[in-house]
Amino acid sequence: MFEREQLELPGYTVDEVLLRLYGSPDPRQIDGVGGATSTTSKAVILSKSDRPGIDVDYTFAQIGIEEGKVDWGSNCGNCSAVLAPYALDNGWVQPGQGETIIRALNTNTGQTILQRVATPQWSLASRPGHHDPGRPVPWFRRRSRLRGSGWPHHRATAADRQSC
């Protein structure tokens, strides 16, 4: 998931930035976040919309694995699940009492997506032990070898290595 402005780098197209981030073209996508399958090489691009009646502009990108191209002509329903929680968490939409409707424009298809989200007590509902799609997992708050150091940013060095 990216905010549109994160992908707007001087001297590069959004396609070039996405291909580099995902490690494409490469059948194994070793040097990027892509997982070398079509289901793990998808990007959600969001921005707060300035269009009347629309809260979020949503663009879906399918990153090519071996061919080094980005397909902008489709959509992914599972990926669109991030829209409402992200818009609420980032203040793009103010939660209503009990329920909030988020209106997103899929820029690939021109279709409007409506998502209804439970917002009891004027906030996004969360349940213990449940993780909503698109909401960051606070993994860095837990201290363990497998889940990080406890710091949001940590540079791993050879001195950090522990023998098994």
Side-chain angles (χ1 to χ4, degrees):
M1 204 291 314
F2 303 96
E3 286 190 26
R4 167 67 64 187
E5 65 187 30
Q6 294 171 324
L7 299 175
E8 295 171 349
L9 301 178
Y12 298 93
T13 67
V14 172
D15 286 45
E16 290 170 328
V17 172
L18 285 170
L19 289 168
R20 182 65 191 115
L21 287 170
Y22 281 75
S24 293
D26 181 333
R28 297 176 297 162
Q29 291 182 321
I30 289 176
D31 63 346
V33 297
T37 68
S38 61
T39 58
T40 58
S41 297
K42 298 177 180 188
V44 172
I45 304 166
L46 301 178
S47 60
K48 183 173 177 17
S49 185
D50 57 6
R51 303 168 201 259
I54 300 293
D55 302 308
V56 179
D57 288 335
Y58 158 63
T59 305
F60 172 76
Q62 180 69 57
I63 313 305
I65 297 168
E66 294 184 40
E67 63 275 8
K69 78 175 209 181
V70 179
D71 178 10
W72 299 99
S74 58
N75 184 27
C76 176
N78 289 338
C79 288
S80 68
V82 72
L83 301 172
Y86 194 84
L88 286 163
D89 280 348
N90 287 282
W92 295 355
V93 176
Q94 296 304 309
Q97 175 56 34
E99 180 179 84
T100 303
I101 298 175
I102 288 84
R103 292 168 180 82
L105 176 68
N106 180 319
T107 63
N108 304 79
T109 65
Q111 298 293 312
T112 300
I113 299 169
L114 298 178
Q115 292 184 342
R116 294 180 187 272
V117 179
T119 51
Q121 301 175 2
W122 303 89
S123 65
L124 190 59
S126 63
R127 298 176 300 280
H130 176 77
H131 177 71
D132 293 317
R135 297 188 79 189
V137 177
W139 63 270
F140 54 84
R141 293 183 190 154
R142 299 184 190 120
R143 297 181 71 87
S144 86
R145 258 180 42 193
L146 296 177
R147 295 186 184 234
S149 65
W151 298 96
H153 301 282
H154 180 84
R155 181 178 297 257
T157 66
D160 294 331
R161 192 178 79 198
Q162 299 176 4
S163 61
C164 297

